[in-house]
Structure formats: C-alpha cells, structure tokens
Amino acid sequence: MTSPAILVAGSANLDFVVRAPRIPTPGETVLGHAFSTYPGGKGANQAVACARAGGVATDMLLALGTDAYAAELEASLHAARVRPLVVRPAGLATGTAFICVSDDAENAITVAPGANAGLAPGHLPALGGYSHLLLQLETPLDTVTAFARTAHTAGLNVTLNGAPAQALPRALLAALDALIVNEGELAAISGIRHDIDTAIAALDVPCVAVTLGARGVRARCGAAWFSQPGFAVEIVDTTAAGDTFCGALVAELARGARWPEALRFACAAAALTCTRPGAQSSIPDRHDVHLFLQSR
Ligand code: RIB
C-alpha cells in the first residue's frame, strides 16, 4: 500500500487584519487600534493545518498573482513544509481578505478572490501518489466539482469544507467521502434549520462533521454518531479555527486514526488556534496539540 499523502486544492489570501473595539455596522466607521497582515485563505490555512498535524506529506494546488503578496504566501507554505503547486492565471492579482476582529474576538471577513477565481478544472495535477483530496468553496464551484469528481473516480478519499456557505450541486455531494461544515453552512446545503441531527441525516454523504464553535463537534460516519465537546480556552482570535479543524481532521484520518480520536485531536488543534492571533500564524503543530491534550 502507498503512504498517505494529501492534496489540498483551494484558495490563498493575504489577510489585512484590523483589531477594533467592535465590528462596524453598515455605514458606520469604527476607529481600530492595531493592524497586521497574515498569510491566510481557507485552502492555504487547511494545508498548513494538515502539515503541522504531522506525519502525512501535504501538497497544495493554488492560484496566485505575480505580485509581492504571492511571494509571502508561498513562503508561508514552504515554512510549514507544504509543497505549493502554483498556477498564475493571467491578469489576476493574488487574493486578499479584509478582516475586522473585535475586542471580544468576533470577526467579519470580506474576500477579494483575485487569482483564486482563476483556478480551473484543467489545473488539477496527476493524482497518482495522493490518498486524500481536501477542498473548500473559495474557488469556483465548477472547478471544485470537477476536482472532486476526478479524484473520486481515481479512488482518492475526497473531503469538502463547505465554506463559505452556499447550496451545492448533487454531482459534488455524490463525489464526497466527507463533508465538514458549520451550522450556517449545514443549513445552506441541507435546507434544514435548527435541527442539526435531522440535517446531517438528510445529507447523502458517507461522513458529515458539523463544527459548533465552543460547543465542539457533532458528526456522523455511516450509521455511527459522534459528539466531541469543545475545549474551553481564552479566545484571542477565532480566524482559521475552522480551517485548523478541517486540516487536522483529514491529516489524522489519513494517518489511520479512527473518527472519535481524529475529532478530539482536531477540536484541540482548533481550540489552540483561537488562543493566538492571525490565520496561518495561529495554527498549532502536533507537539502543541499533544501537550494541550495532556493538560486536559
Ligand atoms: O477561514 C479564515 C480565512 O477566510 C482567512 O484566512 C481569510 O483569508 C478567508 O479566506
């Protein structure tokens, strides 16, 4: 049997982050008090989370511009030991995200997709050697669907993080082994609100995990149901917590962990992410997660 190896295909953004007393309401200006930039993007964050979870080689297919932001995003992937497979769609700038983080750690994110919108079905590399494909929805839906179908046909385990929220075509759902969503995304995909178990049961996907913020995770895999409580931590910034959960979960499953153990590891990794500022800067490695779990 070949060793597990993960391909993440998706977005990369440079995050422009302002901390402010609160998130502005429409039409309002709020004076913030700190500004930073961080490597981000749901796809790149998840690739970093896979690699930091350790033990499984991780590559990432992403689209960047030819600007200075691109170099910073590539450098962050290299530093995390993710091998970037970069395409550069003509005339498109590197993706950016504009994030306001309030003093009570809420955030609001607006993404300018740029080159992420240029990722096309023909960009998928040869899949030989990969055991798992991890996708999100910050690149065009047609591309995500084509990638999932090709990988499914090739026998890879295909996981989709259904973020940002949108309804999904049947052809995409049929190509998935696992779907990871938050409560809003679950409602957008299933059409069912306020009843998590009914919504999970209604989805014709082998495994579904629903992140519930501080409450933890509810999941179903086949006929087996799991509940993993959240870990209480002092929250600084929740940006990339969901991405950390996705990457850590897929990495653990690829290593051969069972779902309950993988859910516990991924919840702990996501909780640690909330204790640090920024996106990729906040994602813990395997050692950090083990120390945290030992302390609980
Ligand atoms: O999930 C967090 C990410 O969403 C940020 O890093 C930002 O780039 C947006 O893609």
Side-chain angles (χ1 to χ4, degrees), residues 40-132:
K42 295 187 192 305
N45 296 345
Q46 292 178 22
V48 168
C50 286
R52 293 208 179 129
V56 183
T58 305
D59 292 356
M60 179 178 182
L61 172 67
L62 70 164
L64 297 172
T66 52
D67 41 57
Y69 299 165
E72 193 172 339
L73 298 184
E74 272 191 85
S76 183
L77 292 172
H78 281 296
R81 296 177 187 271
V82 174
R83 185 170 71 117
L85 309 174
V86 181
V87 297
R88 298 192 194 269
L92 292 175
T94 297
T96 44
F98 299 86
I99 303 179
C100 181
V101 180
S102 66
D103 285 344
D104 59 2
E106 290 296 323
N107 68 34
I109 304 179
T110 308
V111 173
N116 295 308
L119 200 66
H123 290 139
L124 192 68
L127 294 176
Y130 294 115
S131 56
H132 289 68

Side-chain angles (χ1 to χ4, degrees), residues 143-217:
T143 301
V144 174
T145 303
F147 286 178
R149 286 169 60 104
T150 302
H152 178 71
T153 303
L156 276 71
N157 180 293
V158 181
T159 298
L160 173 72
N161 172 220
Q166 58 181 286
L168 298 179
R170 205 172 291 240
L172 174 54
L173 290 171
L176 301 180
D177 294 280
L179 174 68
I180 305 170
V181 286
N182 65 22
E183 291 172 88
E185 293 150 6
L186 177 68
I189 294 167
S190 67
I192 297 169
R193 293 193 172 273
H194 309 307
D195 186 341
I196 292 168
D197 282 5
T198 302
I200 291 175
L203 290 174
D204 192 13
V205 176
C207 299
V208 178
V210 182
T211 56
L212 308 170
R215 281 147 48 226
V217 178

